[in-house]
Amino acid sequence: AQKVTQAQTEISVVEKEDVTLDCVYETRDTTYYLFWYKQPPSGELVFLIRRNSFDEQNEISGRYSWNFQKSTSSFNFTITASQVVDSAVYFCALSESIKAAGNKLTFGGGTRVLVKP
Amino acid sequence: KAGVTQTPRYLIKTRGQQVTLSCSPISGHRSVSWYQQTPGQGLQFLFEYFSETQRNKGNFPGRFSGRQFSNSRSEMNVSTLELGDSALYLCASSLWDRAPYEQYFGPGTRLTVT
């Protein structure tokens, strides 16, 4: 069975500080996909990134960066120089790459990030 | 391009009633998934539809059902509502029918059962 764990339930930082969100996953599949979503107070989940299990390259997109380490089953997310607009709940999610599994996402519990001015 | 739309946005129902929620996917998207979000259980997968067929189902009782129409619009129905069904119901659409591609979520329908 798949499982995603986000050990940090809430992180509070002051603007311009960096913040790293941890994500640890469990799966028996050799092929799988990992995602990060942002949920602002409005409630809509916003897609941030998708990574497949064969691509361990780290990725940077503006102030966001992701560190995928298959050896430790982790897919961590860092916000550099945080801004108040980054305040949201962030979810890590996992999906199997089996045809029958379709598009089922297993989500972690989420990490609430509060960026104070 | 319009995003995923869900109607209604807010709903208040009484225990024992039934409710139908609607989801219109992004144009061209053929896969529609539904998720329930509660403070206690977090985000949980309900089911996914592709080409009018339920392709996958989560661990929810039979009171939760859904369907998809030929235009890819989807509805989910909850019968005999319970207090524990109070939640944010999120719909997501995805482009292809194979490997998990990014799902785009709607704003959700917040259901309150009294």
Side-chain angles (χ1 to χ4, degrees):
Chain A
Q2 303 178 99
K3 186 179 179 182
V4 177
T5 302
Q6 294 179 254
Q8 307 145 306
T9 54
E10 185 165 326
I11 300 175
S12 182
V13 297
V14 176
E15 211 170 16
K16 296 184 183 176
E17 287 184 341
D18 297 348
V19 56
T20 295
L21 311 182
D22 298 332
C23 172
V24 174
Y25 61 92
E26 295 176 29
T27 179
R28 286 176 290 188
D29 297 316
T30 56
T31 302
Y32 50 88
Y33 290 80
L34 296 163
F35 301 80
W36 275 95
Y37 282 87
K38 172 183 180 181
Q39 188 176 41
S42 60
E44 186 169 336
L45 282 167
V46 178
F47 166 79
L48 294 178
I49 190 171
R50 171 175 58 96
R51 173 69 75 232
N52 72 53
S53 53
F54 296 109
D55 182 1
E56 290 194 67
Q57 282 190 348
N58 292 330
E59 181 157 339
I60 297 175
S61 175
R63 297 184 296 106
Y64 295 169
S65 62
W66 291 270
N67 181 5
F68 176 31
Q69 291 196 326
K70 211 167 174 178
S71 60
T72 57
S73 297
S74 65
F75 186 42
N76 298 335
F77 171 35
T78 298
I79 303 173
T80 302
S82 61
Q83 300 176 2
V84 173
V85 292
D86 296 326
S87 296
V89 181
Y90 292 85
F91 290 94
C92 181
L94 168 70
S95 185
E96 298 172 330
S97 185
I98 301 173
K99 290 182 182 180
N103 281 313
K104 175 184 176 181
L105 288 172
T106 298
F107 284 90
T111 298
R112 182 178 299 278
V113 173
L114 178 59
V115 181
K116 300 176 183 176
Chain B
K1 206 174 198 181
V4 178
T5 58
Q6 292 186 246
T7 56
R9 292 292 311 279
Y10 302 91
L11 205 51
I12 299 175
K13 288 288 188 178
T14 304
R15 253 183 318 178
Q17 288 185 316
Q18 75 164 16
V19 67
T20 299
L21 312 181
S22 180
C23 171
S24 292
I26 292 172
S27 178
H29 285 195
R30 297 165 63 190
S31 166
V32 174
S33 300
W34 289 88
Y35 294 82
Q36 181 197 64
Q37 185 176 24
T38 60
Q41 299 299 317
L43 275 158
Q44 294 185 289
F45 172 79
L46 278 157
F47 29 66
E48 181 207 4
Y49 285 87
F50 176 78
S51 291
E52 302 178 64
T53 301
Q54 186 181 89
R55 180 160 65 174
N56 205 350
K57 190 177 191 304
N59 296 323
F60 279 83
R63 300 185 297 106
F64 291 82
S65 63
R67 59 177 176 169
Q68 186 180 34
F69 302 95
S70 58
N71 61 357
S72 294
R73 189 177 71 84
S74 177
E75 289 181 347
M76 69 163 280
N77 183 276
V78 187
S79 62
T80 319
L81 284 166
E82 301 177 359
L83 293 179
D85 297 332
S86 294
L88 179 67
Y89 290 89
L90 293 163
C91 164
S93 75
S94 179
L95 186 59
W96 298 111
D97 67 331
R98 294 272 180 104
Y101 287 85
E102 47 268 32
Q103 295 184 44
Y104 295 91
F105 284 79
T109 293
R110 186 164 295 281
L111 172 65
T112 302
V113 182
T114 61

